[in-house]
Amino acid sequence: MNIFTKAVHAGDRRKGRSAQIPSTTPIYLSSTYLADDAEQLDRLLGDEEPGFSYARYNNPTNAALEDLITSLEGGAGTLACSSGMMALQVALMAGLTDRRRHVLAANIMYGATMKMLHSIFEPFGVETTWIDICNLDAVRLALDEHKPGCLLMETICNPLMRVGPLDEIAKLCRERNVCLIVDSTFATPLLVRPLELGANIVVHSATKYLAGHGDVLGGLVTADADNIDVVRALARTSGPQLGPFESYLTMRGIKTFPLRMERQCQNACRVAAWLAQHPKVEKVYYAADPQHPDVAAIQRLFASNLRGAILSFAVKDAQKSDILALMDRLKLIVKGTSLGDVHTLVLYPLIASHRDLAPRQRQRMGIGDNLLRLSVGIESADDIIADLDQALS
Ligand SMILES: *Cc1c(COP(=O)(O)O)cnc(C)c1O
């Protein structure tokens, strides 16, 4: 055989080679998968037999991650996507398929999510009505007035850590056949499992706690039996899938995610308590605060020791320049536009997550120019507090 032919064929695709099963799912980079014969190929391509044929339809590394997430979240299946935003887009498109093109959306959410509804969905004729999801009566009224196809909310709202009564909202949505989509990035399946509470689709930015090490961009859509087929069909046609390398890293990250998250929640509790008594801190926003405005929902939805690992705090009498200087004084805490990593991260919503909003809109949302957000990592809480202490003084 010619060397050109051998270079392409030798080594690969030998039957009987894979008698041993790898203990950890490897990274499958192949874009195409062979069948035993043409008849099986016909069934695989027609989706009549489970298996692999083409990477846009499925990939063994992604399939392993997807099974893992489905087992963590519940639901009927998961799609691994190239980013959290892509996962949200797929979830919204699936939720609006065969439903009224109207979204009821929480009026405090991740900045890019609000922008996506404005700048991508609205031009395609999808109207959004913004509501306060912490006010159950307002949610009920809006559902009956606007008759939306979907309701979109986050389990814990960024950056003021408001928590809507997810269980009660799910009940209202079920009664009206409204597809409830929950971005549960901040809560993770360790804290809250929205599908078990009646949500239809759960979305995660895997970039955050699940992958956890600041080295992956990825998203996940987990859907119930009524919605998973639409999610899969959308993916087969448009190809939003996560790459297998990122799937592998995400799966590797998830093996330690519950351990990390537990520690991060513990640390966040200590940091929040320390900040609350600091003379330069005006207010701390954290879900373990007994004075929290959503305390009833929080107590129903969260275990008492797992209230999340993100908190925000307002610095007394601070302008933008003071906040920037404070950030520059931090030595250990990383200034980064993300959250959920093993290291503690600080973010200034004014210049980062909520930068694209008009000042008036930020004000309406209660996001002051003196507000900082901390994503607490797995370091020693004493070291995190010491760094904040020297930066605040
Ligand atoms: C980061 C984030 C997203 C977007 O995820 P990407 O992976 O950055 O695309 C969506 N929702 C929330 C709550 C997030 O924190």
Side-chain angles (χ1 to χ4, degrees):
M1 212 176 280
N2 185 282
I3 188 169
F4 286 89
T5 309
K6 282 200 275 190
V8 174
H9 285 279
D12 267 334
R13 299 181 293 275
R14 283 211 203 145
K15 287 224 173 93
R17 259 266 178 104
S18 57
Q20 288 194 301
I21 299 169
S23 71
T24 300
T25 304
I27 305 168
Y28 286 89
L29 292 170
S30 185
S31 53
T32 304
Y33 298 83
L34 307 188
D36 286 340
D37 52 39
E39 284 213 358
Q40 192 196 22
L41 182 63
D42 184 24
R43 291 194 300 277
L44 284 169
L45 288 171
D47 208 14
E48 291 152 14
E49 178 179 323
F52 304 99
S53 55
Y54 185 59
R56 203 177 66 241
Y57 303 159
N58 211 344
N59 162 294
T61 315
N62 287 31
L65 169 65
E66 290 167 352
D67 285 352
L68 170 62
I69 300 297
T70 307
S71 84
L72 297 181
E73 279 292 358
T78 297
L79 175 75
C81 294
S82 56
S83 70
M85 291 317 298
M86 182 47 84
L88 275 163
Q89 186 171 325
V90 169
L92 276 166
M93 288 171 75
L96 290 168
T97 301
D98 298 329
R99 292 191 183 91
R100 214 169 94 73
R101 303 276 195 274
H102 192 119
V103 178
L104 215 56
N107 60 9
I108 307 179
M109 280 195 294
Y110 187 67
T113 306
M114 302 179 87
K115 193 173 173 183
M116 183 173 73
L117 285 163
H118 273 309
S119 64
I120 299 180
F121 281 88
E122 211 178 282
F124 278 93
V126 178
E127 200 186 331
T128 298
T129 302
W130 305 96
I131 48 157
D132 175 4
I133 50 137
C134 297
N135 179 343
L136 194 66
D137 289 330
V139 174
R140 188 186 294 109
L141 279 176
L143 282 167
D144 290 339
E145 183 187 343
H146 300 287
K147 305 201 182 330
C150 292
L151 192 154
L152 175 64
M153 62 181 281
E154 294 173 1
T155 324
I156 305 176
C157 299
N158 185 33
L160 298 179
M161 312 308 141
R162 295 296 305 264
V163 174
L166 177 54
D167 47 352
E168 288 169 342
I169 292 174
K171 205 158 156 260
L172 295 180
C173 287
R174 291 258 156 193
E175 287 163 5
R176 292 160 178 79
N177 194 26
V178 172
C179 180
L180 175 59
I181 303 172
V182 180
D183 178 343
S184 208
T185 300
F186 276 38
T188 80
L190 181 68
L191 274 53
V192 178
R193 286 176 295 280
L195 292 166
E196 289 177 1
L197 299 171
N200 302 94
I201 303 180
V202 173
V203 173
H204 287 281
S205 168
T207 315
K208 315 294 168 55
Y209 289 104
L210 295 175
H213 295 73
D215 51 10
V216 173
L217 185 73
L220 299 154
V221 185
T222 305
D224 61 11
D226 292 340
N227 294 281
I228 189 63
D229 292 343
V230 184
V231 168
R232 291 229 168 274
L234 280 165
R236 277 176 81 92
T237 312
S238 54
Q241 286 83 354
L242 189 61
F245 179 56
E246 284 77 9
S247 276
Y248 166 81
L249 282 176
T250 304
M251 233 181 140
R252 185 182 167 89
I254 289 174
K255 292 182 202 298
T256 56
F257 133 74
L259 277 174
R260 285 186 276 111
M261 191 65 189
E262 204 173 52
R263 166 71 172 235
Q264 283 168 283
C265 290
Q266 264 172 26
N267 279 355
C269 240
R270 277 203 50 205
V271 172
W274 180 84
L275 281 169
Q277 53 75 53
H278 196 284
K280 289 210 175 136
V281 174
E282 184 181 292
K283 189 170 165 59
V284 177
Y285 300 86
Y286 183 55
D289 177 2
Q291 317 292 323
H292 194 291
D294 309 314
V295 70
I298 291 170
Q299 283 177 354
R300 282 201 316 277
L301 300 171
F302 293 77
S304 63
N305 60 334
L306 296 171
R307 297 286 171 90
I310 301 176
L311 57 95
S312 293
F313 63 100
V315 184
K316 256 181 212 156
D317 304 321
Q319 315 291 317
K320 181 178 174 182
S321 57
D322 303 319
I323 296 291
L324 295 178
L326 190 161
M327 288 171 77
D328 278 337
R329 286 196 293 275
L330 291 167
K331 296 190 175 110
L332 177 76
I333 297 172
V334 179
K335 296 186 283 272
T337 323
S338 191
L339 61 104
D341 290 340
V342 283
H343 43 255
T344 300
L345 286 154
V346 66
L347 174 143
Y348 186 18
L350 178 74
I351 64 164
S353 58
H354 295 72
R355 179 184 192 105
D356 290 335
L357 301 179
R360 218 161 31 88
Q361 200 176 357
R362 268 196 304 270
Q363 228 146 45
R364 180 185 59 72
M365 291 164 75
I367 301 166
D369 289 3
N370 62 345
L371 189 78
L372 273 174
R373 189 190 80 190
L374 275 186
S375 163
V376 180
I378 64 170
E379 304 98 328
S380 148
D382 291 338
D383 289 332
I384 301 167
I385 288 170
D387 196 29
L388 287 167
D389 197 19
Q390 63 82 21
L392 276 166
S393 55

Short mmCIF file of all heavy atoms in Angstrom, two decimals, residues 64-124:
data_model
loop_
_atom_site.label_atom_id
_atom_site.label_comp_id
_atom_site.label_asym_id
_atom_site.label_seq_id
_atom_site.Cartn_x
_atom_site.Cartn_y
_atom_site.Cartn_z
N ALA A 64 -20.70 11.51 27.50
CA ALA A 64 -20.36 11.15 28.89
C ALA A 64 -20.66 12.32 29.82
O ALA A 64 -21.26 12.15 30.88
CB ALA A 64 -18.90 10.74 28.97
N LEU A 65 -20.26 13.53 29.40
CA LEU A 65 -20.54 14.73 30.22
C LEU A 65 -22.04 14.95 30.35
O LEU A 65 -22.55 15.26 31.43
CB LEU A 65 -19.87 15.96 29.57
CG LEU A 65 -20.27 17.32 30.15
CD1 LEU A 65 -19.84 17.46 31.60
CD2 LEU A 65 -19.69 18.46 29.31
N GLU A 66 -22.75 14.78 29.24
CA GLU A 66 -24.19 15.02 29.25
C GLU A 66 -24.91 14.04 30.19
O GLU A 66 -25.80 14.43 30.95
CB GLU A 66 -24.74 14.94 27.82
CG GLU A 66 -24.27 16.12 26.99
CD GLU A 66 -24.49 15.98 25.47
OE1 GLU A 66 -24.88 14.88 25.01
OE2 GLU A 66 -24.24 16.96 24.76
N ASP A 67 -24.48 12.78 30.16
CA ASP A 67 -25.07 11.79 31.09
C ASP A 67 -24.78 12.19 32.54
O ASP A 67 -25.64 12.04 33.42
CB ASP A 67 -24.51 10.39 30.82
CG ASP A 67 -25.11 9.77 29.57
OD1 ASP A 67 -26.06 10.37 29.02
OD2 ASP A 67 -24.62 8.71 29.13
N LEU A 68 -23.58 12.67 32.76
CA LEU A 68 -23.18 13.07 34.11
C LEU A 68 -24.09 14.21 34.61
O LEU A 68 -24.61 14.15 35.73
CB LEU A 68 -21.71 13.52 34.08
CG LEU A 68 -21.15 14.21 35.33
CD1 LEU A 68 -21.20 13.28 36.53
CD2 LEU A 68 -19.71 14.66 35.08
N ILE A 69 -24.30 15.22 33.77
CA ILE A 69 -25.13 16.36 34.19
C ILE A 69 -26.57 15.92 34.40
O ILE A 69 -27.23 16.34 35.37
CB ILE A 69 -25.08 17.50 33.14
CG1 ILE A 69 -23.64 17.99 32.96
CG2 ILE A 69 -25.99 18.66 33.55
CD1 ILE A 69 -23.03 18.59 34.19
N THR A 70 -27.08 15.08 33.50
CA THR A 70 -28.45 14.61 33.67
C THR A 70 -28.59 13.87 35.00
O THR A 70 -29.59 14.01 35.70
CB THR A 70 -28.87 13.70 32.50
OG1 THR A 70 -28.61 14.39 31.28
CG2 THR A 70 -30.34 13.33 32.57
N SER A 71 -27.56 13.13 35.37
CA SER A 71 -27.66 12.41 36.64
C SER A 71 -27.58 13.39 37.81
O SER A 71 -28.17 13.15 38.86
CB SER A 71 -26.62 11.29 36.73
OG SER A 71 -25.40 11.80 37.17
N LEU A 72 -26.89 14.51 37.64
CA LEU A 72 -26.81 15.50 38.73
C LEU A 72 -28.08 16.33 38.85
O LEU A 72 -28.51 16.66 39.96
CB LEU A 72 -25.63 16.46 38.52
CG LEU A 72 -24.21 15.89 38.51
CD1 LEU A 72 -23.19 17.01 38.32
CD2 LEU A 72 -23.91 15.14 39.80
N GLU A 73 -28.66 16.72 37.70
CA GLU A 73 -29.78 17.66 37.70
C GLU A 73 -31.15 16.98 37.67
O GLU A 73 -32.15 17.60 37.99
CB GLU A 73 -29.71 18.59 36.47
CG GLU A 73 -28.76 19.76 36.60
CD GLU A 73 -29.21 20.82 37.62
OE1 GLU A 73 -30.28 20.70 38.22
OE2 GLU A 73 -28.45 21.76 37.80
N GLY A 74 -31.21 15.73 37.23
CA GLY A 74 -32.49 15.09 36.94
C GLY A 74 -32.85 15.43 35.50
O GLY A 74 -31.99 15.84 34.71
N GLY A 75 -34.11 15.29 35.12
CA GLY A 75 -34.50 15.60 33.76
C GLY A 75 -34.25 14.42 32.83
O GLY A 75 -33.81 13.35 33.25
N ALA A 76 -34.55 14.65 31.53
CA ALA A 76 -34.51 13.55 30.57
C ALA A 76 -33.23 13.54 29.74
O ALA A 76 -32.91 12.53 29.12
CB ALA A 76 -35.72 13.65 29.65
N GLY A 77 -32.49 14.62 29.72
CA GLY A 77 -31.27 14.64 28.94
C GLY A 77 -30.62 16.01 28.95
O GLY A 77 -31.24 17.00 29.36
N THR A 78 -29.36 16.04 28.51
CA THR A 78 -28.58 17.28 28.56
C THR A 78 -27.87 17.49 27.22
O THR A 78 -27.50 16.52 26.55
CB THR A 78 -27.53 17.19 29.69
OG1 THR A 78 -28.21 17.07 30.93
CG2 THR A 78 -26.63 18.42 29.74
N LEU A 79 -27.70 18.75 26.85
CA LEU A 79 -26.88 19.12 25.70
C LEU A 79 -25.74 19.99 26.23
O LEU A 79 -25.97 20.97 26.92
CB LEU A 79 -27.71 19.92 24.69
CG LEU A 79 -26.92 20.48 23.50
CD1 LEU A 79 -26.57 19.37 22.51
CD2 LEU A 79 -27.69 21.59 22.80
N ALA A 80 -24.50 19.60 25.89
CA ALA A 80 -23.34 20.42 26.24
C ALA A 80 -23.09 21.42 25.12
O ALA A 80 -22.98 21.03 23.96
CB ALA A 80 -22.12 19.53 26.47
N CYS A 81 -23.02 22.70 25.46
CA CYS A 81 -22.92 23.78 24.48
C CYS A 81 -21.60 24.53 24.62
O CYS A 81 -20.93 24.45 25.64
CB CYS A 81 -24.06 24.78 24.66
SG CYS A 81 -25.68 24.11 24.29
N SER A 82 -21.31 25.32 23.60
CA SER A 82 -20.03 26.02 23.53
C SER A 82 -19.87 27.14 24.56
O SER A 82 -18.76 27.60 24.80
CB SER A 82 -19.83 26.59 22.13
OG SER A 82 -20.94 27.42 21.80
N SER A 83 -20.96 27.61 25.15
CA SER A 83 -20.87 28.63 26.20
C SER A 83 -22.19 28.64 26.97
O SER A 83 -23.19 28.06 26.52
CB SER A 83 -20.63 30.02 25.59
OG SER A 83 -21.78 30.46 24.90
N GLY A 84 -22.19 29.32 28.10
CA GLY A 84 -23.42 29.48 28.85
C GLY A 84 -24.45 30.26 28.04
O GLY A 84 -25.64 29.96 28.07
N MET A 85 -23.98 31.30 27.31
CA MET A 85 -24.90 32.10 26.51
C MET A 85 -25.53 31.26 25.40
O MET A 85 -26.71 31.40 25.08
CB MET A 85 -24.21 33.32 25.92
CG MET A 85 -23.81 34.38 26.95
SD MET A 85 -25.04 34.74 28.22
CE MET A 85 -26.40 35.35 27.24
N MET A 86 -24.71 30.39 24.79
CA MET A 86 -25.27 29.52 23.75
C MET A 86 -26.31 28.58 24.35
O MET A 86 -27.36 28.32 23.76
CB MET A 86 -24.13 28.74 23.05
CG MET A 86 -24.59 27.86 21.93
SD MET A 86 -25.74 28.65 20.76
CE MET A 86 -24.59 29.47 19.67
N ALA A 87 -26.02 28.08 25.55
CA ALA A 87 -26.97 27.19 26.22
C ALA A 87 -28.29 27.93 26.48
O ALA A 87 -29.38 27.38 26.27
CB ALA A 87 -26.38 26.69 27.54
N LEU A 88 -28.20 29.19 26.89
CA LEU A 88 -29.42 29.98 27.12
C LEU A 88 -30.18 30.20 25.83
O LEU A 88 -31.41 30.13 25.80
CB LEU A 88 -29.05 31.33 27.75
CG LEU A 88 -28.90 31.33 29.27
CD1 LEU A 88 -28.16 32.57 29.73
CD2 LEU A 88 -30.26 31.24 29.95
N GLN A 89 -29.45 30.46 24.76
CA GLN A 89 -30.11 30.69 23.47
C GLN A 89 -30.85 29.43 23.02
O GLN A 89 -32.00 29.50 22.59
CB GLN A 89 -29.08 31.14 22.42
CG GLN A 89 -29.75 31.54 21.12
CD GLN A 89 -28.76 32.18 20.15
OE1 GLN A 89 -27.85 32.89 20.54
NE2 GLN A 89 -28.96 31.93 18.87
N VAL A 90 -30.18 28.28 23.14
CA VAL A 90 -30.83 27.01 22.77
C VAL A 90 -32.05 26.76 23.64
O VAL A 90 -33.12 26.38 23.15
CB VAL A 90 -29.83 25.84 22.88
CG1 VAL A 90 -30.54 24.50 22.76
CG2 VAL A 90 -28.73 25.95 21.82
N ALA A 91 -31.91 27.02 24.94
CA ALA A 91 -33.03 26.78 25.86
C ALA A 91 -34.23 27.66 25.50
O ALA A 91 -35.37 27.19 25.48
CB ALA A 91 -32.58 27.05 27.31
N LEU A 92 -33.97 28.94 25.20
CA LEU A 92 -35.06 29.84 24.86
C LEU A 92 -35.71 29.44 23.53
O LEU A 92 -36.94 29.44 23.41
CB LEU A 92 -34.55 31.28 24.77
CG LEU A 92 -34.47 32.03 26.10
CD1 LEU A 92 -33.64 33.29 25.97
CD2 LEU A 92 -35.86 32.37 26.63
N MET A 93 -34.88 29.07 22.56
CA MET A 93 -35.45 28.65 21.27
C MET A 93 -36.29 27.40 21.45
O MET A 93 -37.38 27.28 20.87
CB MET A 93 -34.34 28.43 20.24
CG MET A 93 -33.71 29.73 19.77
SD MET A 93 -32.25 29.50 18.75
CE MET A 93 -33.00 28.96 17.24
N ALA A 94 -35.81 26.46 22.27
CA ALA A 94 -36.58 25.23 22.51
C ALA A 94 -37.87 25.57 23.25
O ALA A 94 -38.95 25.07 22.92
CB ALA A 94 -35.74 24.24 23.32
N GLY A 95 -37.76 26.44 24.26
CA GLY A 95 -38.93 26.80 25.05
C GLY A 95 -39.99 27.52 24.22
O GLY A 95 -41.19 27.41 24.50
N LEU A 96 -39.55 28.28 23.20
CA LEU A 96 -40.50 29.04 22.39
C LEU A 96 -41.04 28.25 21.21
O LEU A 96 -41.97 28.69 20.53
CB LEU A 96 -39.85 30.34 21.89
CG LEU A 96 -39.57 31.39 22.98
CD1 LEU A 96 -38.67 32.50 22.45
CD2 LEU A 96 -40.87 31.97 23.52
N THR A 97 -40.45 27.07 20.95
CA THR A 97 -40.93 26.24 19.85
C THR A 97 -42.36 25.77 20.17
O THR A 97 -42.61 25.21 21.24
CB THR A 97 -40.01 25.01 19.65
OG1 THR A 97 -38.70 25.50 19.38
CG2 THR A 97 -40.48 24.14 18.50
N ASP A 98 -43.28 26.03 19.27
CA ASP A 98 -44.69 25.66 19.46
C ASP A 98 -45.34 26.34 20.67
O ASP A 98 -46.34 25.87 21.20
CB ASP A 98 -44.86 24.13 19.61
CG ASP A 98 -44.40 23.40 18.36
OD1 ASP A 98 -44.52 23.98 17.25
OD2 ASP A 98 -43.90 22.27 18.49
N ARG A 99 -44.73 27.42 21.15
CA ARG A 99 -45.38 28.18 22.22
C ARG A 99 -45.43 29.65 21.78
O ARG A 99 -44.77 30.06 20.83
CB ARG A 99 -44.61 28.05 23.54
CG ARG A 99 -44.67 26.63 24.12
CD ARG A 99 -44.13 26.62 25.55
NE ARG A 99 -44.11 25.25 26.10
CZ ARG A 99 -43.08 24.43 26.01
NH1 ARG A 99 -41.97 24.80 25.41
NH2 ARG A 99 -43.15 23.21 26.54
N ARG A 100 -46.21 30.44 22.52
CA ARG A 100 -46.35 31.85 22.16
C ARG A 100 -45.00 32.55 22.26
O ARG A 100 -44.25 32.36 23.22
CB ARG A 100 -47.37 32.51 23.10
CG ARG A 100 -48.19 33.58 22.43
CD ARG A 100 -49.34 34.00 23.34
NE ARG A 100 -49.00 35.16 24.15
CZ ARG A 100 -48.90 36.39 23.67
NH1 ARG A 100 -49.12 36.62 22.39
NH2 ARG A 100 -48.58 37.39 24.45
N ARG A 101 -44.68 33.40 21.27
CA ARG A 101 -43.36 34.06 21.19
C ARG A 101 -43.30 35.25 22.13
O ARG A 101 -43.18 36.40 21.70
CB ARG A 101 -43.10 34.54 19.76
CG ARG A 101 -43.16 33.46 18.71
CD ARG A 101 -41.82 32.74 18.62
NE ARG A 101 -41.77 31.95 17.38
CZ ARG A 101 -42.23 30.72 17.27
NH1 ARG A 101 -42.80 30.13 18.31
NH2 ARG A 101 -42.14 30.09 16.12
N HIS A 102 -43.44 34.96 23.40
CA HIS A 102 -43.40 36.02 24.41
C HIS A 102 -42.68 35.46 25.63
O HIS A 102 -43.00 34.35 26.08
CB HIS A 102 -44.83 36.46 24.77
CG HIS A 102 -44.88 37.72 25.57
ND1 HIS A 102 -45.52 38.86 25.14
CD2 HIS A 102 -44.36 38.03 26.80
CE1 HIS A 102 -45.39 39.82 26.05
NE2 HIS A 102 -44.70 39.34 27.06
N VAL A 103 -41.70 36.20 26.13
CA VAL A 103 -40.93 35.75 27.28
C VAL A 103 -41.20 36.66 28.47
O VAL A 103 -41.17 37.88 28.34
CB VAL A 103 -39.41 35.76 26.97
CG1 VAL A 103 -38.60 35.32 28.20
CG2 VAL A 103 -39.09 34.86 25.78
N LEU A 104 -41.49 36.03 29.59
CA LEU A 104 -41.55 36.75 30.86
C LEU A 104 -40.17 36.54 31.49
O LEU A 104 -39.77 35.40 31.69
CB LEU A 104 -42.64 36.12 31.72
CG LEU A 104 -43.48 37.01 32.62
CD1 LEU A 104 -44.14 38.11 31.83
CD2 LEU A 104 -44.53 36.18 33.33
N ALA A 105 -39.45 37.63 31.75
CA ALA A 105 -38.07 37.47 32.23
C ALA A 105 -37.85 38.26 33.51
O ALA A 105 -38.39 39.35 33.68
CB ALA A 105 -37.10 37.93 31.16
N ALA A 106 -37.04 37.69 34.38
CA ALA A 106 -36.69 38.38 35.63
C ALA A 106 -35.99 39.69 35.30
O ALA A 106 -35.15 39.73 34.40
CB ALA A 106 -35.78 37.49 36.47
N ASN A 107 -36.35 40.75 36.03
CA ASN A 107 -35.77 42.06 35.71
C ASN A 107 -34.38 42.26 36.31
O ASN A 107 -33.77 43.31 36.14
CB ASN A 107 -36.71 43.20 36.09
CG ASN A 107 -37.02 43.21 37.57
OD1 ASN A 107 -36.42 42.46 38.34
ND2 ASN A 107 -37.97 44.03 37.97
N ILE A 108 -33.86 41.26 37.03
CA ILE A 108 -32.45 41.27 37.42
C ILE A 108 -31.86 39.94 36.97
O ILE A 108 -32.24 38.89 37.47
CB ILE A 108 -32.26 41.39 38.95
CG1 ILE A 108 -33.03 42.60 39.49
CG2 ILE A 108 -30.78 41.52 39.28
CD1 ILE A 108 -32.89 42.76 40.99
N MET A 109 -30.97 40.01 36.00
CA MET A 109 -30.30 38.79 35.53
C MET A 109 -28.90 39.14 35.06
O MET A 109 -28.53 40.30 34.97
CB MET A 109 -31.09 38.15 34.37
CG MET A 109 -32.28 37.33 34.84
SD MET A 109 -32.92 36.26 33.55
CE MET A 109 -33.53 37.44 32.37
N TYR A 110 -28.16 38.11 34.71
CA TYR A 110 -26.86 38.28 34.08
C TYR A 110 -27.00 39.27 32.92
O TYR A 110 -27.93 39.15 32.11
CB TYR A 110 -26.40 36.92 33.57
CG TYR A 110 -25.00 36.86 33.03
CD1 TYR A 110 -23.89 37.03 33.86
CD2 TYR A 110 -24.76 36.62 31.68
CE1 TYR A 110 -22.62 36.96 33.36
CE2 TYR A 110 -23.49 36.54 31.17
CZ TYR A 110 -22.41 36.71 32.03
OH TYR A 110 -21.14 36.64 31.51
N GLY A 111 -26.11 40.28 32.85
CA GLY A 111 -26.24 41.36 31.87
C GLY A 111 -26.39 40.86 30.45
O GLY A 111 -27.27 41.32 29.70
N ALA A 112 -25.57 39.90 30.04
CA ALA A 112 -25.61 39.42 28.65
C ALA A 112 -26.93 38.70 28.34
O ALA A 112 -27.38 38.69 27.19
CB ALA A 112 -24.43 38.49 28.38
N THR A 113 -27.55 38.12 29.35
CA THR A 113 -28.84 37.44 29.14
C THR A 113 -29.91 38.47 28.80
O THR A 113 -30.72 38.27 27.88
CB THR A 113 -29.24 36.66 30.42
OG1 THR A 113 -28.16 35.79 30.76
CG2 THR A 113 -30.49 35.86 30.19
N MET A 114 -29.89 39.60 29.53
CA MET A 114 -30.87 40.65 29.25
C MET A 114 -30.61 41.23 27.86
O MET A 114 -31.54 41.48 27.08
CB MET A 114 -30.78 41.72 30.35
CG MET A 114 -31.01 41.12 31.73
SD MET A 114 -30.90 42.29 33.11
CE MET A 114 -32.58 42.91 33.15
N LYS A 115 -29.33 41.39 27.54
CA LYS A 115 -28.96 41.93 26.23
C LYS A 115 -29.38 40.98 25.11
O LYS A 115 -29.83 41.39 24.06
CB LYS A 115 -27.44 42.16 26.20
CG LYS A 115 -26.99 43.00 25.05
CD LYS A 115 -25.52 43.33 25.17
CE LYS A 115 -25.05 44.03 23.90
NZ LYS A 115 -23.61 44.31 23.94
N MET A 116 -29.24 39.68 25.35
CA MET A 116 -29.60 38.69 24.33
C MET A 116 -31.10 38.78 24.00
O MET A 116 -31.49 38.70 22.83
CB MET A 116 -29.26 37.28 24.81
CG MET A 116 -29.53 36.20 23.78
SD MET A 116 -28.94 34.59 24.29
CE MET A 116 -30.14 34.22 25.53
N LEU A 117 -31.92 38.94 25.03
CA LEU A 117 -33.36 39.06 24.79
C LEU A 117 -33.65 40.32 23.97
O LEU A 117 -34.43 40.29 23.02
CB LEU A 117 -34.13 39.07 26.11
CG LEU A 117 -34.24 37.70 26.79
CD1 LEU A 117 -34.63 37.83 28.25
CD2 LEU A 117 -35.23 36.81 26.05
N HIS A 118 -32.98 41.43 24.33
CA HIS A 118 -33.15 42.70 23.61
C HIS A 118 -32.65 42.63 22.18
O HIS A 118 -33.32 43.01 21.24
CB HIS A 118 -32.32 43.80 24.29
CG HIS A 118 -33.04 44.49 25.39
ND1 HIS A 118 -34.29 45.01 25.25
CD2 HIS A 118 -32.65 44.76 26.67
CE1 HIS A 118 -34.65 45.57 26.40
NE2 HIS A 118 -33.68 45.41 27.27
N SER A 119 -31.40 42.15 22.02
CA SER A 119 -30.72 42.37 20.74
C SER A 119 -30.80 41.18 19.79
O SER A 119 -30.57 41.33 18.60
CB SER A 119 -29.25 42.75 20.98
OG SER A 119 -28.57 41.68 21.60
N ILE A 120 -31.13 39.99 20.29
CA ILE A 120 -31.24 38.82 19.39
C ILE A 120 -32.69 38.39 19.24
O ILE A 120 -33.19 38.23 18.14
CB ILE A 120 -30.36 37.65 19.88
CG1 ILE A 120 -28.89 38.08 19.91
CG2 ILE A 120 -30.55 36.42 18.99
CD1 ILE A 120 -27.92 37.02 20.36
N PHE A 121 -33.37 38.21 20.37
CA PHE A 121 -34.74 37.65 20.28
C PHE A 121 -35.77 38.69 19.84
O PHE A 121 -36.66 38.37 19.05
CB PHE A 121 -35.13 36.99 21.61
CG PHE A 121 -34.53 35.62 21.74
CD1 PHE A 121 -33.26 35.44 22.29
CD2 PHE A 121 -35.19 34.50 21.26
CE1 PHE A 121 -32.68 34.18 22.37
CE2 PHE A 121 -34.63 33.23 21.34
CZ PHE A 121 -33.37 33.09 21.90
N GLU A 122 -35.64 39.92 20.35
CA GLU A 122 -36.63 40.94 20.01
C GLU A 122 -36.70 41.19 18.49
O GLU A 122 -37.80 41.22 17.93
CB GLU A 122 -36.36 42.23 20.79
CG GLU A 122 -37.61 43.03 21.09
CD GLU A 122 -37.28 44.26 21.92
OE1 GLU A 122 -37.07 44.11 23.13
OE2 GLU A 122 -37.19 45.35 21.32
N PRO A 123 -35.53 41.35 17.82
CA PRO A 123 -35.60 41.55 16.36
C PRO A 123 -36.26 40.38 15.61
O PRO A 123 -36.72 40.54 14.49
CB PRO A 123 -34.13 41.69 15.95
CG PRO A 123 -33.42 42.14 17.18
CD PRO A 123 -34.15 41.49 18.31
N PHE A 124 -36.30 39.19 16.24
CA PHE A 124 -36.99 38.05 15.62
C PHE A 124 -38.45 37.96 16.07
O PHE A 124 -39.08 36.92 15.90
CB PHE A 124 -36.26 36.75 15.93
CG PHE A 124 -35.09 36.50 15.03
CD1 PHE A 124 -33.81 36.90 15.39
CD2 PHE A 124 -35.26 35.89 13.79
CE1 PHE A 124 -32.74 36.69 14.55
CE2 PHE A 124 -34.18 35.68 12.94
CZ PHE A 124 -32.92 36.09 13.32
#
